[in-house]
């Protein structure tokens, strides 16, 4: 029976050989992959923009005309998405109603030396903090 005995040195040598084979298999020549002729980039640009034939030039101009936007602005399309001072004040997070409560405080004595306090009326909000609705949440009365 044949036994193959690999040492640590033999494993390293095998690993280096495998890496070298993989690296050489992936290598290629730049000129082979991206061939280039005698024309410069300026020549390619000039030919593409002026066109070698009048029909291709006309097609290019028609395509450019289709892609052009009109000069006038349509405010109805962009007003919902444009940030303005008014938009920022009246933002998409609407304030929820916070009704005022009116309370009458009867005459009473207050303090460690009881001092008479006359009766008075005060107003305070129902909720301690201002509450905001989530975007799209209904804020009008049900």
């Amino acid at each position: 029976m044949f036994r193959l005995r690999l040492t640590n040195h033999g494993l390293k040598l095998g690993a280096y050989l495998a890496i070298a084979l993989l690296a050489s298999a992936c290598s290629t020549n730049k000129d082979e992959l991206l061939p280039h002729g005698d024309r410069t980039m300026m020549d390619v640009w000039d030919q593409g923009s002026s066109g070698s034939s009048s029909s291709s030039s006309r097609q290019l101009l028609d395509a450019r005309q289709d892609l052009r936007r009109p000069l006038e602005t349509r405010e109805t399309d962009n007003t919902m998405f444009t940030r303005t001072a008014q938009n920022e004040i009246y933002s998409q997070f609407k304030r929820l109603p916070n009704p005022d409560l009116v309370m009458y405080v009867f005459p009473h004595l207050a303090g460690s030396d009881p001092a008479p306090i006359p009766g008075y009326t005060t107003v305070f909000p129902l909720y301690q903090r201002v509450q905001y609705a989530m975007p799209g949440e209904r804020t009008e009365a049900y």
Side-chain angles (χ1 to χ4, degrees), residues 5 131 140 142:
R5 189 170 169 208
Q131 302 291 325
E140 64 271 357
Y142 290 95

Side-chain angles (χ1 to χ4, degrees), residues 55-74:
S55 65
S56 66
S57 172
R58 186 71 202 153
Q59 288 175 345
L60 181 63
L61 289 175
D62 289 343
R64 286 180 180 167
Q65 190 63 33
D66 289 342
L67 293 175
R68 281 206 176 110
R69 295 182 187 163
L71 292 177
E72 68 273 355
T73 58
R74 290 179 284 175

Side-chain angles (χ1 to χ4, degrees), residues 125-141:
L126 178 65
Y127 304 110
Q128 183 178 3
R129 296 183 181 164
V130 176
Q131 302 291 325
Y132 294 93
M134 295 298 292
E137 189 176 351
R138 210 173 138 178
T139 56
E140 64 271 357

Side-chain angles (χ1 to χ4, degrees), residues 5-24:
R5 189 170 169 208
L6 291 177
T7 62
N8 195 15
H9 180 69
L11 287 175
K12 283 184 184 179
L13 183 62
Y16 289 139
L17 184 61
I19 291 172
L21 285 173
L22 285 173
S24 67

Side-chain angles (χ1 to χ4, degrees), residues 6-105:
L6 291 177
T7 62
N8 195 15
H9 180 69
L11 287 175
K12 283 184 184 179
L13 183 62
Y16 289 139
L17 184 61
I19 291 172
L21 285 173
L22 285 173
S24 67
C26 295
S27 67
T28 184
N29 186 0
K30 175 184 73 93
D31 294 329
E32 183 181 313
L33 189 62
L34 300 169
H36 58 279
D38 298 332
R39 298 187 316 168
T40 64
M41 192 64 202
M42 194 63 179
D43 296 337
V44 173
W45 177 263
D46 288 338
Q47 182 187 4
S49 63
S50 64
S52 57
S53 67
S54 63
S55 65
S56 66
S57 172
R58 186 71 202 153
Q59 288 175 345
L60 181 63
L61 289 175
D62 289 343
R64 286 180 180 167
Q65 190 63 33
D66 289 342
L67 293 175
R68 281 206 176 110
R69 295 182 187 163
L71 292 177
E72 68 273 355
T73 58
R74 290 179 284 175
E75 291 184 24
T76 56
D77 294 343
N78 299 330
T79 51
M80 291 181 64
F81 306 105
T82 305
R83 291 179 73 171
T84 62
Q86 184 178 7
N87 258 4
E88 295 299 316
I89 293 170
Y90 304 110
S91 72
Q92 58 185 345
F93 296 98
K94 306 286 186 220
R95 281 183 138 183
L96 291 175
N98 191 2
D100 287 334
L101 299 179
V102 179
M103 185 177 97
Y104 177 73
V105 179

